Amino acid sequence: MIPEIVARLQQKHRTMRYPKAAPPPMPDRFRGRPVVHKTRCVAGCNNACEAACPTGALSASTPKTIDLGKCLFCPECAAACPHQAISYSDNYQLAARERTDLVVSRERDEIEAKGAALDEALRKLLGRSLKLRQVSAGGCNACEADSNVLTTVGWDLSRFGIKFVASPRHADGLLVTGPVSQNMALALKKTYDAVSDPRIVIAVGTCAISGGVFADRPEVCNGASSVVPVDLYIPGCPPHPLTILDGLLRLIGRIG
């Protein structure tokens, strides 16, 4: 037992200081908010980026837009652009309260994060203790894994009063992942109905927001909002744990 205690003392403090300190460094291969460099985005490319996008996240309409709720954060559009007009920043702040806030104009060099806080009454009620029931509605387990990372000692989600619980009857809301398969639609609705009012729903990942690569297939419902009302959208495929944490903390007003 003594060697274990000594080893633990040598490890020192392993939980990150964020948000009281700087966030942890993002890995080199991390792809955050896409950026369109409008000085490089010129006519004559036959909209190669739109054609390359596997989910139709880029629109050639006027004004041209990027739908972060459909974006897989893959490099296909950037690779297809002959002028290298599209790149990915290291900005992890992607969450939004409204689905429309994820559809952003490509005419701007930068995309600003939208406020994601609950209204004052709900923040007073849930701000110190948020219990979530996680529902995997046909996902590939990537979003589920990155959500579960938040419960490890390095992140320690519980220090903010946010915990995952086993029963919806013990929960304040749902955290939904996956495109919501037809076989999971009724289960999701029943789980939502089992949560007491006031209740919230958080859609994590592109599949849970829009259906992702499975969108418009007869086997899926194109995301959680087709079955239950959604209060927070966290895009990504999958979203980085820091993106999920940032969205949750903004939701309960712990960060601005």
Side-chain angles (χ1 to χ4, degrees), residues 109-130:
D109 286 323
E110 296 183 357
I111 302 168
E112 296 179 358
K114 295 285 186 179
L118 292 166
D119 60 71
E120 188 65 22
L122 272 178
R123 270 192 293 169
K124 286 183 178 180
L125 183 63
L126 303 177
R128 293 184 177 275
S129 177
L130 182 61

Side-chain angles (χ1 to χ4, degrees), residues 121-224:
L122 272 178
R123 270 192 293 169
K124 286 183 178 180
L125 183 63
L126 303 177
R128 293 184 177 275
S129 177
L130 182 61
K131 304 297 185 290
L132 298 172
R133 166 62 179 169
Q134 200 272 329
V135 179
S136 179
C140 69
N141 204 43
C143 293
E144 293 85 344
D146 277 1
S147 298
N148 289 339
V149 163
L150 296 177
T151 65
T152 63
V153 66
W155 297 82
D156 191 14
L157 186 65
S158 63
R159 63 194 162 115
F160 304 108
I162 305 174
K163 295 182 179 180
F164 293 109
V165 295
S167 171
R169 299 191 184 281
H170 301 158
D172 302 307
L174 306 180
L175 188 146
V176 184
T177 55
V180 186
S181 63
Q182 294 290 349
N183 289 337
M184 279 298 297
L186 180 59
L188 175 58
K189 182 63 169 62
K190 287 186 174 182
T191 305
Y192 175 79
D193 290 341
V195 180
S196 300
D197 283 325
R199 51 198 167 187
I200 60 175
V201 176
I202 302 164
V204 173
T206 300
C207 284
I209 296 173
S210 65
V213 294
F214 309 103
D216 299 326
R217 302 297 196 276
E219 295 85 3
V220 302
C221 300
N222 288 356

Side-chain angles (χ1 to χ4, degrees), residues 55-71:
T55 57
L58 292 124
S59 168
S61 61
T62 302
K64 295 182 178 181
T65 59
I66 302 176
D67 188 345
L68 299 182
K70 292 182 177 180
C71 183

